[in-house]
Amino acid sequence: MTVAIDTRSAAVACVSGRDLHVPLVQGGTRAYANFDYAASAPALTQVTDRLAALLPYYASVHRGAGYTSRISTDCYEAARGSVARFLNCADDQVVVFTRNTTDALNLLAACVPGDTVVLDIEHHANFLPWQRNGRRVVPVADTIEETLDRIARELGTKPAALLSVTGASNVTGEILPLDRLAALAHRYGTRIAVDAAQLAPHRRIDLRACGIDYLALSGHKLYAPFGAGVLVGRRDWLDTAKPYLAGGGAVREVSTDGVEWAPAPQRHEAGSPNVLGVAALAAACDTLGSLHEADTTEHERYLTERLRDGLDRIPGVRFLRIWPDSTDSVGIVAFTVDGVEPGHVAAYLSAEHGIGVRDGRFCAHPLLHRLGVDGALRASIGLGTRAGDVDRLVAAIAALVDRGTGWNYRQQDGQWGPAPETREGLAPGSVTGAAPCAAF
């Protein structure tokens, strides 16, 4: 007899840490269930394989004649092509490597020749940088359609150089209609930038088709460690703005009386670049670009619905949502548990069940204020998530609501933790054992 296997329940890619077991406060270990992909996603196996192959050739890039320097330079510059293909960049767009999304948006903010319009739901990375050149905040409305109308009125009332929006909320996962926003912005002579930190790991983005002018993303959320990010954007603003950093690599000629700056992207990449981080990011783009999008999207939707359905049956669990008319979201579920602080819940899940979630305000304080909560829990799903992980999280929350915690917890320096802490590597004075950083 042939048994049908639901492939939606299994991981769709191999990621680092998939076999990791973590200690429990009550003793023993448990396979780690990672629901913190939205903060930093584990590395894809293809990424770690490429890094292992590159490490023997690691050297300083650009202008080095040595063999390893040439190899590293070729890898670094070829990475721009990987990113450009992954995002289907337009001909006039350049790929600038940065540290992360925050760095990329700060770089862009220094290049924008005028006001920037943003929404009040943004991650701080896409909210704070625009203060320097005239930030105009549009409060979101009760629906997406009304929110688009508000943006149109703002841009029609007073010209703006840029509209900068999130691709997917880092709190609720809800996705904005980027093609419609791009058309709306261009109608009023405004360019559009997208914070794609949360969108790019979950959905394919076609810059040509959507008409997006600028896009920022982070490698560490895209299954690539080592802290490289990207700003992709139209060349003219990047070519005429002051260099983001002044230093070697950003110049054509320097004298004691002046300097001739290089065009973008080199203009904004002064100093020795993060070769390994960029190579990791390129490997992630190549790997994600080779996956069948329908399969990855269905895997994510199935597990997200499974998680929501399970949590929805537990008394006192409440979900966070921005718009009732949003029709698509990435694999992020934000919720609260009545009567228990989010940090307390997160500490319990980690200590007693080996489950990792995020708690707090997620660097989106205005949005949490709008949603009427001081903090929440966030469970985020990725390519390595399995149905069994989801069921474990639901069961752990149900047990908490039904019976409470099985251990004592207290706050110290604003962070909840078990009291006493018994886990190897975390307990006071513990400097040995399997945890690799326990001795540092």
Side-chain angles (χ1 to χ4, degrees):
M1 181 177 68
T2 301
V3 178
I5 299 175
D6 189 349
T7 56
R8 300 174 303 174
S9 300
V12 296
C14 290
V15 297
S16 60
R18 62 188 180 277
D19 299 321
L20 178 67
H21 279 65
V22 296
L24 303 179
V25 72
Q26 66 270 32
T29 64
R30 191 82 188 270
Y32 183 55
N34 183 4
F35 285 95
D36 204 15
Y37 278 73
S40 284
L44 287 161
T45 300
Q46 293 90 336
V47 171
T48 56
D49 288 347
R50 187 176 297 186
L51 285 173
L54 178 60
L55 273 171
Y57 302 94
Y58 168 67
S60 184
V61 305
H62 299 144
R63 295 170 301 283
Y67 184 77
T68 58
S69 181
R70 294 289 299 275
I71 292 292
S72 293
T73 298
D74 287 348
C75 287
Y76 183 80
E77 292 301 332
R80 299 190 204 276
S82 294
V83 173
R85 287 189 297 274
F86 180 64
L87 299 172
N88 194 25
C89 294
D91 293 338
D92 67 337
Q93 291 178 323
V94 294
V95 174
V96 181
F97 291 121
T98 65
R99 292 181 299 167
N100 45 46
T101 302
T102 302
D103 197 37
L105 291 171
N106 273 273
L107 191 165
L108 179 59
C111 301
V112 178
D115 291 356
T116 298
V117 171
V118 299
L119 298 172
D120 64 347
I121 63 170
E122 300 296 335
H123 186 283
H124 295 166
N126 193 37
F127 192 76
L128 298 177
W130 312 110
Q131 295 178 113
R132 73 182 68 184
N133 64 336
R135 183 186 67 194
R136 289 152 52 189
V137 181
V138 175
V140 299
D142 292 336
T143 67
I144 288 181
E145 291 303 320
E146 293 175 274
T147 300
L148 295 180
D149 289 342
R150 286 188 179 184
I151 294 172
R153 286 196 297 271
E154 179 68 27
L155 297 179
T157 301
K158 181 181 178 182
L162 186 70
L163 167 68
S164 191
V165 297
T166 183
S169 169
N170 75 300
V171 176
T172 68
E174 290 166 273
I175 295 175
L176 282 166
L178 297 180
D179 52 349
R180 293 179 62 190
L181 281 166
L184 187 158
H186 294 159
R187 185 190 315 154
Y188 294 100
T190 300
R191 297 186 185 185
I192 184 170
V194 174
D195 171 358
Q198 298 297 340
L199 183 62
H202 300 274
R203 299 287 190 275
R204 293 299 300 273
I205 304 170
D206 189 327
L207 295 184
R208 290 177 186 265
C210 288
I212 296 168
D213 300 294
Y214 299 91
L215 180 141
L217 58 78
S218 291
H220 73 97
K221 298 184 188 295
L222 202 70
Y223 304 92
F226 293 101
V230 165
L231 173 66
V232 175
R234 292 171 60 178
R235 175 178 288 280
D236 54 351
W237 285 1
L238 297 173
D239 274 349
T240 55
K242 291 182 179 179
Y244 186 49
L245 295 174
V251 301
R252 281 178 168 169
E253 188 68 33
V254 177
S255 70
T256 56
D257 299 320
V259 58
E260 180 186 355
W261 299 105
Q266 290 80 11
R267 188 185 193 89
H268 302 290
E269 293 182 358
S272 297
N274 181 1
V275 181
L276 295 179
V278 166
L281 176 57
C285 289
D286 292 341
T287 303
L288 292 173
S290 69
L291 297 177
H292 197 274
E293 186 179 12
D295 292 339
T296 59
T297 302
E298 177 59 22
H299 166 264
E300 177 184 292
R301 285 177 176 162
Y302 170 74
L303 294 183
T304 304
E305 289 174 7
R306 188 182 183 115
L307 177 58
R308 283 187 173 277
D309 290 345
L311 292 175
D312 196 38
R313 291 193 292 269
I314 302 173
V317 171
R318 306 180 188 277
F319 298 110
L320 302 189
R321 189 178 177 90
I322 304 171
W323 299 289
D325 64 332
S326 60
T327 58
D328 193 12
S329 65
V330 300
I332 295 175
V333 177
F335 62 99
T336 60
V337 179
D338 285 354
V340 192
E341 290 191 30
H344 192 175
V345 179
Y348 152 80
L349 291 172
S350 174
E352 298 183 41
H353 296 276
I355 297 171
V357 299
R358 181 70 40 159
D359 70 276
R361 293 191 286 173
F362 318 116
C363 294
H365 297 180
L367 174 55
L368 270 290
H369 178 74
R370 164 177 283 278
L371 296 175
V373 295
D374 295 326
L377 294 146
R378 182 183 70 188
S380 47
I381 288 168
L383 298 177
T385 309
R386 296 160 290 196
D389 302 327
V390 171
D391 295 344
R392 278 177 58 192
L393 175 56
V394 171
I397 296 294
L400 172 67
V401 171
D402 185 43
R403 302 187 299 271
T405 65
W407 205 263
N408 292 322
Y409 294 84
R410 64 185 174 89
Q411 271 187 307
Q412 184 173 354
D413 299 327
Q415 184 171 10
W416 283 89
E421 174 64 85
T422 65
R423 289 172 291 175
E424 185 67 45
L426 297 179
S430 175
V431 295
T432 61
C437 297
F440 297 95

